[in-house]
Amino acid sequence: MEESRHQIHRVVKHMEEAWNKSDSAGFARPFVEDADFINIRGAHYNGRSAIEAGHRHLFDTIYKGSENQFTVESIRFVGADVAIAFVRSNLKWYEGGATREGQARPSMLLARSKGDWHIVVLQNTLVAPEGAR
Amino acid sequence: MEESRHQIHRVVKHMEEAWNKSDSAGFARPFVEDADFINIRGAHYNGRSAIEAGHRHLFDTIYKGSENQFTVESIRFVGADVAIAFVRSNLKWYEGGATREGQARPSMLLARSKGDWHIVVLQNTLVAPEGAR
């Protein structure tokens, strides 16, 4: 279990680093080929190549030069080979000459295959600012 | 697999019916005791009793008399005893004398124990209206 936790932390760290290098292929690499991805706008993407293309677009446009920090809040195992990582993201991006900051919860469902953990589903939800409706 | 799919559809139907009767205890019943729940505002709740209390509050306040329609878009198995149900919700509620309508994606991670499927994690994400940022 400790080795699995360690590997899952490494997957999340890898994604953070890929984001911060605007490396969409690196960001998509830990996903299984036919992964599901639900973004903060509730759009549902299927497949690693769609995830790669979507992030390529983000890194080239609204999130160009953005910085993301991923914190693993907890890991929940559902059997020995399936786990969900509850992750908190803190994103800083640039818009109209100003720095903006937002938080979200990109939870990742991972499965172990041949000793390696891969992301099967990622669902993201924006964390509403305090006091906002 | 067909029997599992059938059971999972029944769980989702049960939740829809419980919502539409403002029955918070019924809504919470399919969750495991220590379930995780991330709502559309990105708040993370732990445990069936917190889920029940949160929905009691919703049904008594902003979502009083609301109507929810849950549609299972797909079910993805991760091994034989773990599945994720991709669900679309369409909620109608009343606010300031008007009817409002919103869509969301309450994805449910379920596990089978002693033949029965229970929800281990539910994460919800609002579907952004077309054209909205």
Side-chain angles (χ1 to χ4, degrees), chain A:
Chain A
M1 210 80 128
E2 269 321 296
E3 174 56 23
S4 291
R5 282 182 192 279
H6 182 67
Q7 275 200 37
I8 291 168
H9 274 272
R10 282 187 53 203
V11 167
V12 176
K13 189 72 188 168
H14 164 87
M15 292 172 75
E16 177 187 87
E17 290 172 354
W19 185 292
N20 292 331
K21 288 185 286 189
S22 296
D23 174 8
S24 54
F27 186 83
R29 197 167 303 127
F31 288 86
V32 297
E33 177 64 33
D34 63 343
D36 286 278
F37 191 103
I38 295 177
N39 74 9
I40 51 167
R41 297 174 57 80
H44 189 159
Y45 294 96
N46 293 104
R48 192 197 295 135
S49 63
I51 295 166
E52 195 279 326
H55 284 80
R56 181 72 268 140
H57 180 71
L58 290 176
F59 296 154
D60 287 343
T61 57
I62 58 167
Y63 293 151
K64 193 181 176 86
S66 64
E67 285 169 59
N68 216 338
Q69 187 181 4
F70 283 161
T71 306
V72 178
E73 293 199 328
S74 58
I75 297 172
R76 179 176 194 145
F77 287 86
V78 186
D81 297 318
V82 178
I84 183 158
F86 293 107
V87 177
R88 182 106 175 191
S89 86
N90 190 81
L91 180 66
K92 287 182 188 162
W93 75 99
Y94 308 97
E95 195 179 315
T99 302
R100 309 266 313 253
E101 194 165 350
Q103 303 229 332
R105 293 192 184 277
S107 303
M108 306 177 193
L109 178 67
L110 300 105
R112 181 163 57 178
S113 174
K114 297 174 189 159
D116 287 325
W117 288 89
H118 291 281
I119 304 167
V120 178
V121 180
L122 188 153
Q123 180 159 350
N124 207 353
T125 303
L126 209 56
V127 176
E130 289 290 329
R133 286 214 61 178

Side-chain angles (χ1 to χ4, degrees), chain B residues 49-111:
Chain B
S49 63
I51 295 166
E52 194 278 328
H55 284 80
R56 182 72 267 142
H57 179 70
L58 290 175
F59 297 153
D60 287 343
T61 58
I62 58 168
Y63 292 151
K64 192 180 177 89
S66 63
E67 286 170 57
N68 216 337
Q69 186 180 5
F70 284 160
T71 306
V72 178
E73 293 199 329
S74 58
I75 297 172
R76 178 174 194 148
F77 287 86
V78 187
D81 297 317
V82 178
I84 182 157
F86 293 107
V87 178
R88 182 105 173 190
S89 86
N90 189 81
L91 180 66
K92 288 183 188 161
W93 75 99
Y94 308 97
E95 195 178 317
T99 303
R100 309 267 311 254
E101 194 164 351
Q103 301 229 334
R105 293 192 182 278
S107 303
M108 305 177 195
L109 177 67
L110 300 103

Side-chain angles (χ1 to χ4, degrees), chain B:
Chain B
M1 211 81 125
E2 270 321 296
E3 173 56 23
S4 291
R5 282 182 192 278
H6 181 68
Q7 274 199 36
I8 291 168
H9 274 272
R10 282 187 53 203
V11 167
V12 175
K13 190 72 189 166
H14 165 87
M15 291 171 75
E16 178 187 86
E17 290 172 353
W19 185 293
N20 292 331
K21 288 185 286 189
S22 297
D23 174 7
S24 53
F27 186 84
R29 197 168 301 125
F31 288 87
V32 297
E33 176 64 34
D34 64 342
D36 285 278
F37 191 104
I38 296 178
N39 73 10
I40 51 167
R41 298 175 55 80
H44 188 160
Y45 293 96
N46 294 103
R48 192 198 295 136
S49 63
I51 295 166
E52 194 278 328
H55 284 80
R56 182 72 267 142
H57 179 70
L58 290 175
F59 297 153
D60 287 343
T61 58
I62 58 168
Y63 292 151
K64 192 180 177 89
S66 63
E67 286 170 57
N68 216 337
Q69 186 180 5
F70 284 160
T71 306
V72 178
E73 293 199 329
S74 58
I75 297 172
R76 178 174 194 148
F77 287 86
V78 187
D81 297 317
V82 178
I84 182 157
F86 293 107
V87 178
R88 182 105 173 190
S89 86
N90 189 81
L91 180 66
K92 288 183 188 161
W93 75 99
Y94 308 97
E95 195 178 317
T99 303
R100 309 267 311 254
E101 194 164 351
Q103 301 229 334
R105 293 192 182 278
S107 303
M108 305 177 195
L109 177 67
L110 300 103
R112 180 163 56 178
S113 175
K114 296 174 191 160
D116 287 324
W117 288 90
H118 292 280
I119 304 166
V120 178
V121 180
L122 188 153
Q123 180 158 349
N124 206 354
T125 303
L126 209 57
V127 176
E130 289 291 328
R133 287 216 58 184

